Amino acid sequence: MIGRSGNPTLNDKTFDQIGYHSGQDAMTIEGTVNKVFITLAVLLGGAFASWSMHFNGQNVMPYAIGGAIGGLVLALIISFKPTTAPFLVPIYGVLEGLFLGAISAIFENVQRGITLQAALLTMGVFVALLLAYKSRLIKATENFKLGVFAATGGIALVYLLSFVLGFFGISIPYLHESNWIGIGISVVIVIVAALNLVLDFDFIENGANQGAPKYMEWYGAFGLMVTLVWLYIEIVRLLAKLASRD
């Protein structure tokens, strides 16, 4: 059975009733990597567009909000209907790019150089965990998967609660604060986001080994991109908290 991923877009149920394939009709690691680069390229293109608009004096908040909402809608569609991934993942990449570019530009106005630091740290974490996974220094055992899945679900619930309470002017203590407890919470969230990468690698590898259909390459790229976007955002938030204490 293809392994479970802590990433909610990549899990065992994704492969229920899709059958297994071979040859050119089957998912491969190389094919998934190609799709990851394509999705990353269109995401960076969208990010560059909204980033440039911000520093040219345009209001980019509509792009940030529209990108976030549009990306969420597409993510839900792709998650429930993986066969749509080849068509919707590139669009998802553009929308997420518009969102990230706008948010990054706003953070950059507050603290010069913070977005470059966050991007480099995100790529560094990605490469380090990929090497650790390939060398089997980190193994995605069932207990490991369950632990990361539980932690990811807990964080999602806390963020959802924070969002709902925000409508009533109530904030969850420490979650968005720059004291040492708030920084510690951000560090924990960054670690959990990073560990999801290990489960994504495991999911993609197992999917390729088990002969998942070709369109799952796009789905695997989508799931990995979801984790990278989350990790980047959390690293930016952590760096912003640290910078505010200087």
Side-chain angles (χ1 to χ4, degrees):
M1 180 177 292
I2 295 173
R4 172 175 21 223
S5 170
N7 186 330
T9 67
L10 301 180
N11 54 66
D12 291 340
K13 293 182 180 179
T14 303
F15 289 89
D16 289 350
Q17 299 179 345
I18 63 174
Y20 299 108
H21 299 69
S22 61
Q24 295 183 346
D25 294 329
M27 175 183 182
T28 65
I29 293 177
E30 180 181 1
T32 305
V33 170
N34 291 337
K35 272 65 172 185
V36 168
F37 280 118
I38 293 172
T39 307
L40 182 60
V42 297
L43 186 148
L44 291 176
F48 179 76
S50 56
W51 172 282
S52 299
M53 286 187 284
H54 175 82
F55 286 103
N56 286 331
Q58 294 180 247
N59 178 20
V60 294
M61 283 309 298
Y63 295 97
I65 297 172
I69 295 175
L72 177 60
V73 171
L74 288 187
L76 291 173
I77 295 173
I78 296 168
S79 297
F80 287 105
K81 193 70 172 176
T83 53
T84 63
F87 315 103
L88 297 185
V89 170
I91 302 174
Y92 168 83
V94 172
L95 292 173
E96 284 298 291
L98 291 173
F99 165 71
L100 285 183
I103 294 299
S104 296
I106 293 171
F107 274 105
E108 187 73 12
N109 267 346
V110 177
Q111 181 67 33
R112 183 69 62 180
I114 191 173
T115 52
L116 178 59
Q117 295 174 34
L120 292 175
L121 284 171
T122 301
M123 289 299 101
V125 170
F126 174 83
V127 172
L129 286 177
L130 178 59
L131 292 175
Y133 175 77
K134 295 298 291 183
S135 62
R136 303 309 180 193
L137 291 176
I138 297 179
K139 296 181 179 180
T141 65
E142 283 305 307
N143 287 336
F144 182 88
K145 295 174 186 178
L146 289 172
V148 175
F149 182 80
T152 303
I155 292 169
L157 288 175
V158 170
Y159 275 147
L160 178 61
L161 181 62
S162 175
F163 177 76
V164 173
L165 291 178
F167 287 106
F168 303 96
I170 303 172
S171 61
I172 296 179
Y174 306 117
L175 183 61
H176 304 294
E177 297 177 15
S178 299
N179 53 38
W180 287 114
I181 296 178
I183 290 173
I185 291 173
S186 285
V187 169
V188 170
I189 295 175
V190 166
I191 292 173
V192 172
L195 291 178
N196 270 274
L197 288 172
V198 176
L199 305 190
D200 295 341
F201 300 149
D202 182 70
F203 179 91
I204 291 170
E205 182 179 47
N206 287 334
N209 291 340
Q210 295 294 332
K214 194 70 175 177
Y215 65 81
M216 292 304 292
E217 291 178 350
W218 281 105
Y219 193 86
F222 160 68
L224 192 58
M225 203 57 55
V226 168
T227 301
L228 285 173
V229 167
W230 179 32
L231 178 60
Y232 170 79
I233 291 173
E234 295 300 343
I235 289 178
V236 168
R237 293 184 66 245
L238 173 59
L239 292 177
K241 287 182 179 182
L242 291 171
S244 69
R245 296 186 61 86
D246 294 341

